[in-house]
Amino acid sequence: MLIQDRSKQLARLAAILGLLAAVAGIVLAVMLAGKHSGFIQSDLGCTIDGQDGCKNLGASPDSRIFFGRGPHIAWFGLFFYLSLGGLFLRILLCPPDRRAALAGLLLAMTVFGTVYDGFLAYKNLFVFEVPCQLCIYTYFATLVALLGAALLAFDFRQSPAMLAAGEVLRAALRAWYVFAAAFLICLGLALYFTVALRIDAAGGEGRDSRGGIPLLGVERRAGIIAEHEALPIAPQLNVNGLTQFEGPANAPIVIQEFADFRCPHCYHASEELRYLQQRWPDRLRVYYRHFPLDATCNPQVSQSRGGYSCNGAQAALCASEQNIFPKIYHGIFNFQATEQNIGLRELENLTVSAGGSWPRLLQCMGSAATQQRLNRDLADALAVKVEATPTLIIQGRLFRGAPPIEWITAVIDALVLQKEGAAAEADFAARNPL
């Protein structure tokens, strides 16, 4: 009797341990899914030397299921932990005669999850420069869940139902509602993160039938202006003499972006700024500033990472001398799409294709004058307290991280319409006929 009581206590503690691990995994997976969808902008627990490893991993094809073309792996992780939590809870509540098969099912699932996490951990820790720390916490959650499942399996080790594949499958079928509930929760959160909130950020209009973002509605303009003005006021930076820009000098809206060429979200932010300049011609002047996340040229960063980010910054700084800055700047970011390093050979090919002189650019890259120009960006970044890239100054207001495209479009719409009123509406309508 004493042995049976201890066995029951062990099974209960194992199920509680597994349930707690699953709850922790659910919280972490929701955070990762929110970051990957653009809903959560916080870099809490993710930033290493100013770079958000969670976002960087989320922007990589390796973070997507179905050969890099499906949803982010965080959604699969959320489904996995929700299912585990439901099964551990079911073991606590179900009749004793069904617990053995459920223990076998939990052991199979947690073993699979641990093996799969091992593959992800290899990618995360040894392939990517900056690891995703939230992902590492999920690996520990899976290991603890495996421990709970193993303790349950130890308690039911003599039961044929735990080892019989047919019984385990029947247990999974009997618990169909657990998996269905997990799927519906994931679907609901995905819709909430990727549709409802983004439409709201754009003013409730959503995207029009042509796939573009319609002009911000009148009823939302004052609110968007208030949101923009609620952002922190950025220190005033002197832009005289800067050569890294696009847009006319008399543009009414000025934006500065501090970025690193190997940061995926910097790439996305730069593409958003290009889109906004096309959306509102001659209304934006964008200054592209450099904050390489590499100690090779940036003393504000503690680790050296091959000098590739520094190569890119130096090449972009020198490109303006040959009037090929936009092609070089955006071309270097496009190396991310082709998975190229920012090496000298790649930069030479890009310079030639942009119509520039590679020997002249190479000589400029290694000059003291170019390092002084880079140091100016680094000093301004220090004044702004840049801790992660991208960091944007939007008409004097500070925004850290990559803004959702609908939100920043709404902000620029509101700022342009505030300055120009009906004339801007008429111009937009003329350039974007229904």
Side-chain angles (χ1 to χ4, degrees):
M1 181 66 69
L2 182 60
I3 294 176
Q4 289 181 349
D5 288 343
R6 287 181 177 176
S7 178
K8 289 180 180 178
Q9 290 176 358
L10 175 65
R12 182 175 179 80
L13 289 174
I16 292 174
L17 179 66
L19 179 59
L20 292 175
V23 170
I26 291 168
V27 172
L28 292 166
V30 169
M31 291 176 66
L32 284 165
K35 288 178 72 68
H36 294 170
S37 66
F39 172 69
I40 296 177
Q41 294 295 324
S42 172
D43 59 1
L44 179 65
C46 285
T47 300
I48 301 175
D49 284 339
Q51 191 166 358
D52 188 338
C54 305
K55 281 187 175 181
N56 290 351
L57 178 61
S60 166
D62 289 307
S63 69
R64 295 181 177 271
I65 57 178
F66 304 129
F67 307 101
R69 299 180 181 273
H72 280 287
I73 196 68
W75 294 110
F76 176 76
L78 180 58
F79 173 78
F80 174 75
Y81 291 118
L82 283 167
S83 300
L84 283 187
L87 292 175
F88 277 116
L89 183 62
R90 181 170 167 79
I91 269 199
L92 285 169
L93 302 177
C94 76
D97 60 324
R98 293 186 178 180
R99 293 176 183 171
L102 281 172
L105 175 61
L106 278 167
L107 183 62
M109 289 181 62
T110 52
V111 167
F112 167 79
T114 302
V115 172
Y116 191 63
D117 274 358
F119 166 75
L120 295 177
Y122 168 75
K123 284 278 190 176
N124 188 22
L125 297 173
F126 298 104
V127 175
F128 294 98
E129 284 189 351
V130 180
C132 167
Q133 294 189 78
L134 289 182
C135 300
I136 294 172
Y137 303 150
T138 65
Y139 307 153
F140 283 109
T142 303
L143 287 173
V144 175
L146 174 64
L147 176 61
L151 289 173
L152 283 171
F154 178 79
D155 187 59
F156 292 105
R157 64 191 183 281
Q158 294 180 345
S159 172
M162 195 201 77
L163 298 175
E167 288 296 324
V168 171
L169 179 59
R170 278 189 283 274
L173 293 175
R174 283 195 296 266
W176 64 270
Y177 55 87
V178 172
F179 300 105
F183 176 78
L184 290 175
I185 291 172
C186 289
L187 181 62
L189 282 172
L191 292 173
Y192 184 67
F193 283 165
T194 61
V195 179
L197 289 178
R198 290 194 174 193
I199 289 178
D200 180 69
E205 297 88 349
R207 294 181 182 271
D208 63 19
S209 59
R210 296 158 296 167
I213 301 176
L215 191 66
L216 184 68
V218 175
E219 70 284 356
R220 288 283 291 153
R221 293 173 189 175
I224 291 295
I225 290 292
E227 287 184 20
H228 174 255
E229 292 180 348
L231 294 173
I233 298 175
Q236 291 205 359
L237 303 179
N238 182 9
V239 298
N240 292 335
L242 293 179
T243 59
Q244 313 279 287
F245 61 81
E246 289 182 292
N250 62 347
I253 297 172
V254 177
I255 300 174
Q256 298 186 56
E257 179 195 18
F258 289 88
D260 171 87
F261 277 118
R262 304 191 78 193
C263 161
H265 283 268
C266 297
Y267 180 19
H268 297 162
S270 296
E271 290 299 300
E272 290 176 357
L273 296 177
R274 293 182 79 186
Y275 162 74
L276 292 170
Q277 288 186 305
Q278 294 169 1
R279 181 179 178 88
W280 291 110
D282 299 328
R283 269 77 164 205
L284 276 72
R285 187 174 178 92
V286 180
Y287 290 94
Y288 296 101
R289 315 295 299 273
H290 300 287
F291 191 78
L293 296 171
D294 193 321
T296 305
C297 62
N298 185 355
Q300 299 178 41
V301 177
S302 62
Q303 294 184 10
S304 296
R305 298 193 176 98
Y308 294 114
S309 294
C310 298
N311 287 347
Q314 292 162 351
L317 285 165
C318 292
S320 56
E321 295 184 358
Q322 301 186 47
N323 297 319
I324 54 174
F325 165 71
K327 292 181 180 179
I328 295 297
Y329 186 87
H330 297 295
I332 294 173
F333 265 129
N334 284 332
F335 286 168
Q336 291 189 28
T338 55
E339 298 184 353
Q340 297 181 76
N341 280 325
I342 312 175
L344 296 183
R345 178 175 297 179
E346 289 80 5
L347 289 172
E348 179 180 6
N349 293 337
L350 177 62
T351 303
V352 172
S353 67
S357 166
W358 169 244
R360 182 181 170 189
L361 190 85
L362 181 61
Q363 183 179 15
C364 173
M365 285 173 60
S367 69
T370 298
Q371 184 61 45
Q372 288 177 357
R373 293 167 66 192
L374 177 57
N375 288 343
R376 177 180 177 180
D377 281 355
L378 298 179
D380 284 351
L382 185 62
V384 176
K385 297 182 180 178
V386 172
E387 297 175 350
T389 56
T391 294
L392 282 75
I393 300 175
I394 305 171
Q395 199 70 344
R397 300 287 173 165
L398 192 61
F399 187 95
R400 302 186 188 277
I405 181 62
E406 288 85 355
W407 180 86
I408 193 172
T409 299
V411 168
I412 299 305
D413 282 4
L415 291 172
V416 172
L417 293 167
Q418 184 184 53
K419 289 182 178 294
E420 300 183 21
E425 290 189 59
D427 174 61
F428 185 89
R431 290 183 291 101
N432 298 274
L434 294 176

